[in-house]
Amino acid sequence: TLPDVGSGGGGAADVTLGGWTVGVTAAYWMEQKATLPADPGAPPRGADVYIVATGARLCRRLIAAFWGCAGGEIDWMHGQAFGFGTPEPAPGTIERQWSTAVVAVLDGVYRLPVARRLNLRFDIQFGIMPVRAGFFVPGSDLRVHRTGLTVSRSFASLEVEIP
C-alpha cells in the first residue's frame, strides 16, 4: 500500500470460457512521498515510494454482467530517501521487495457494453495482505513507511473483446 490514495496505470489479459475467466494483470502505482513528522522549521524527511505489481485471478460470472473473482498478486515497492543529510542514501538503499498473496475478500467486476466488442469495465477489489513490509533508514530502526494490512482499489477501463 502507498501512504495515501494513489493513481497509476496498468493492463490485463483475460480468457473467458463459458462463465469462467482467468486473467493476468500488471500495474504501476505512481510515486508518493512518505514523510516522517518533523520539528517546526526542520526540512522534511522520508522517502519517495512507488509500487509495481503483477498478478493472476480466476473469476466466475455471478449474474448478468457481474463477476466475482479471487486471485493473488506480487508487489514490489521501491523507495528513495530524502532529508537525511548529505550524502543521501544511495538509490535503492531504502527499498524492500516482498511478495504477497492479496487474497480477494471481494473482487467485483461489472461490464457495461458501449459498442460491439467494447465494454466499459469497473473493478472493485478488497483484499488482505498477509505480509507487511516497511521502509527503514539505513543503519537505524527509524521506519519511514509501513504497508497497510488491507487493500481496497477501484478501476475503470475500456475492455476490448477479441473473438
Side-chain angles (χ1 to χ4, degrees):
T1 58
L2 290 170
D4 204 350
V5 173
S7 60
D14 294 333
V15 175
T16 301
L17 298 171
W20 291 93
T21 295
V22 63
V24 294
T25 61
Y28 170 82
W29 299 93
M30 294 174 61
E31 187 173 274
Q32 292 186 5
K33 290 197 178 304
T35 56
L36 295 168
D39 294 328
R45 298 183 310 158
D48 294 316
V49 296
Y50 67 91
I51 296 175
V52 176
T54 186
R57 64 182 174 195
L58 177 66
C59 303
R60 175 80 175 140
R61 185 187 322 243
L62 301 175
I63 55 171
F66 292 94
W67 296 70
C69 306
E73 185 173 277
I74 299 173
D75 295 0
W76 292 272
M77 178 180 275
H78 301 271
Q80 174 59 48
F82 62 84
F84 291 99
T86 304
E88 292 291 349
T93 55
I94 296 188
E95 181 174 314
R96 296 288 184 268
Q97 174 182 326
W98 75 97
S99 62
T100 178
V102 177
V103 180
V105 175
L106 172 66
D107 184 352
V109 177
Y110 176 73
R111 291 180 170 108
L112 176 66
V114 294
R116 186 168 186 253
R117 297 201 168 125
L118 184 65
N119 300 316
L120 187 56
R121 177 179 169 144
F122 300 95
D123 291 72
I124 300 174
Q125 299 177 346
F126 299 96
I128 298 172
M129 297 186 88
V131 175
R132 296 178 74 186
F135 284 90
F136 295 88
V137 176
S140 79
D141 61 355
L142 182 60
R143 184 173 62 225
V144 175
H145 175 64
R146 183 175 175 136
T147 63
L149 183 59
T150 60
V151 176
S152 61
R153 301 182 275 212
S154 60
F155 306 94
S157 58
L158 281 176
E159 177 181 74
V160 178
E161 296 177 12
I162 300 172

